[in-house]
Amino acid sequence: CHPKSKRKFPELPENLLSHFLRGVCDHCGVLFFNKEINNAEIGYMAEFGCPERNIPERTWLQPGIDDAKKDIEKYLSKAAQAAIEGNESLVEISLSYAGEKAKASVKDKVVNGPFQELAKATLAARKRRGVTREKPLIDTGQFLNAINYVIREK
């Protein structure tokens, strides 16, 4: 997971006890072109593309965050105010709400796109494996289920 830049949320005070992180947890590997890769690597390839494997860019993470930005900022502002007031439990609750909102929005983006359609060869390969889904970023569902947030102590 990647730390959310403070530049995007300047109202956060330096003494806020936690970092707000969002992204894809990197455990749970899958085999990709005879190399095991994890969910974070899958997400990176989807986000930025992988031309050498004919995988187009399908940006999902930042647009998902952007779709929920107002709500996320509202909860982060509440967390910041609670930190200033010394209310640690409200900090935790507010950060959790921000994380849940971000997670839900990013998952919605993965499910609903819009994204470039899958290539016919990819659809055929899926069909040979018994997979009939045609959504670009959903094959087994493992990647979608790995999208989460983390609250870490500074």
Side-chain angles (χ1 to χ4, degrees):
C1 301
H2 300 284
K4 187 71 177 157
S5 170
K6 285 189 176 183
R7 286 181 296 228
K8 295 227 178 191
F9 299 101
E11 69 276 7
L12 291 177
E14 284 299 317
N15 66 346
L16 189 61
L17 299 175
S18 299
H19 291 288
F20 177 69
L21 305 170
R22 47 90 171 134
V24 179
C25 295
D26 64 2
H27 57 283
C28 301
V30 296
L31 201 58
F32 180 77
F33 289 92
N34 298 322
K35 177 186 179 251
E36 189 169 312
I37 63 172
N38 61 42
N39 287 312
E41 292 168 316
I42 292 168
Y44 184 88
M45 280 193 296
E47 185 80 8
F48 300 104
C50 185
E52 60 272 14
R53 300 288 187 203
N54 294 319
I55 299 172
E57 179 180 308
R58 292 183 174 103
T59 306
W60 57 276
L61 183 57
Q62 192 60 52
I65 295 294
D66 290 345
D67 288 349
K69 187 174 180 176
K70 285 184 181 180
D71 286 334
I72 294 168
E73 286 176 340
K74 176 180 73 173
Y75 292 124
L76 292 178
S77 292
K78 285 182 180 183
Q81 185 61 41
I84 291 167
E85 295 168 0
N87 187 339
E88 291 182 33
S89 64
L90 186 55
V91 170
E92 186 78 19
I93 290 167
S94 298
L95 290 174
S96 294
Y97 280 142
E100 288 296 330
K101 188 65 177 176
K103 179 174 80 170
S105 184
V106 168
K107 283 187 170 193
D108 182 67
K109 181 58 71 177
V110 168
V111 170
N112 296 310
F115 301 113
Q116 180 178 334
E117 292 182 5
L118 292 172
K120 289 182 178 164
T122 302
L123 292 171
R126 282 186 177 188
K127 193 171 187 176
R128 285 190 300 275
R129 291 186 293 116
V131 176
T132 58
R133 282 181 289 285
E134 295 186 6
K135 292 199 178 263
L137 298 181
I138 303 174
D139 185 4
T140 66
Q142 185 177 13
F143 171 67
L144 180 66
N145 291 332
I147 296 170
N148 209 348
Y149 70 96
V150 177
I151 299 170
R152 293 189 183 150
E153 294 295 318
K154 266 188 160 179

